[in-house]
């Protein structure tokens, strides 16, 4: 994967959906990055994509030098109530061969820049407490630990703690509560 050094980050498109699904499904089956048990179907990923598209939510992708998607980052609403409109919960996923190469930092950095452009005030990441790489990534980009929920999930035969990491941004110059 030497092509990753020159890989580009940009908006994902429908042609990326098969790679997004493969990345998601690998994370579901082999990691605690996603607390799901079953792989996502094509229909599930298509519905996810349509919700992102229709909601105007970013899905940034990292393509290697051959143009193949090797990772993506996105966000959605933190909570479904109006007063949370300046807060988002984000996620970053990489294909297994792309992990540990600093690419998550590139993707999350690009997502932070997008959040700043959109005047987001708070980015929140929910991370399995045992995911040292993701915690280090977030810490390196200025995220702060905001709390831990013990035994929040059960996967791979064990209880999992959920940590929340947050990054405060400038947000809007004139926020409104409408």
């Amino acid at each position: 994967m030497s092509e990753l050094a020159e890989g580009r980050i940009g908006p994902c498109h429908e042609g990326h959906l098969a790679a997004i699904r493969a990345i998601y499904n690998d994370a579901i089956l082999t990691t605690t990055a996603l607390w799901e048990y079953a792989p996502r179907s094509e229909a599930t990923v298509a519905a996810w994509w349509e919700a992102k598209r229709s909601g105007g939510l970013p899905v940034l992708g990292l393509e290697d030098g051959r143009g193949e998607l090797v990772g993506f980052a996105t966000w959605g609403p933190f909570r479904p109530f109006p007063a949370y409109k300046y807060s988002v919960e984000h996620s970053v996923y990489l294909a297994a061969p792309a992990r540990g190469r600093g690419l998550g930092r590139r993707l999350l950095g690009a997502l932070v820049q997008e959040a700043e452009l959109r005047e987001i005030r708070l980015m929140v990441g929910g991370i399995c407490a045992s995911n040292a790489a993701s915690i280090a990534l977030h810490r390196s980009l200025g995220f702060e630990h905001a709390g831990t929920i013990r035994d929040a999930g059960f996967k791979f035969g064990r209880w999992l703690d959920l940590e929340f990491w947050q990054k405060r941004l400038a947000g809007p110059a004139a926020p409104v509560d409408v």
Side-chain angles (χ1 to χ4, degrees), residues 19-160:
I20 287 171
R21 180 174 175 237
I23 292 167
Y24 264 140
N25 287 343
D26 177 67
I28 289 166
L29 295 173
T30 65
T31 77
T32 57
L34 278 161
W35 291 12
E36 298 176 42
Y37 299 128
R40 292 184 180 184
S41 67
E42 285 183 38
T44 299
V45 173
W48 169 89
W49 174 257
E50 179 54 28
K52 296 291 183 181
R53 190 198 61 72
S54 65
L57 302 172
V59 181
L60 301 180
L62 173 64
E63 292 180 345
D64 64 16
R66 298 178 315 237
E68 294 179 26
L69 188 79
V70 297
F72 66 96
T74 187
W75 74 56
F78 174 63
R79 303 221 40 214
F81 304 104
Y84 291 102
K85 66 184 165 192
Y86 300 116
S87 299
V88 297
E89 185 170 0
H90 67 276
S91 54
V92 177
Y93 298 102
L94 293 168
R99 295 179 196 145
R101 299 170 176 263
L103 303 175
R105 182 177 173 82
R106 287 184 58 200
L107 273 169
L108 184 52
L111 199 63
V112 168
Q113 288 178 342
E114 183 69 21
E116 289 170 336
L117 290 172
R118 295 187 189 206
E119 297 185 317
I120 297 298
R121 173 65 173 165
L122 185 71
M123 294 183 73
V124 177
I127 305 169
C128 184
S130 65
N131 190 340
S134 186
I135 290 169
L137 164 64
H138 283 78
R139 186 177 283 126
S140 76
L141 287 172
F143 284 78
E144 299 173 318
H145 182 248
T148 302
I149 300 173
R150 305 279 178 214
D151 297 341
F154 187 82
K155 187 174 179 182
F156 299 136
R158 67 183 192 274
W159 290 106
L160 304 174

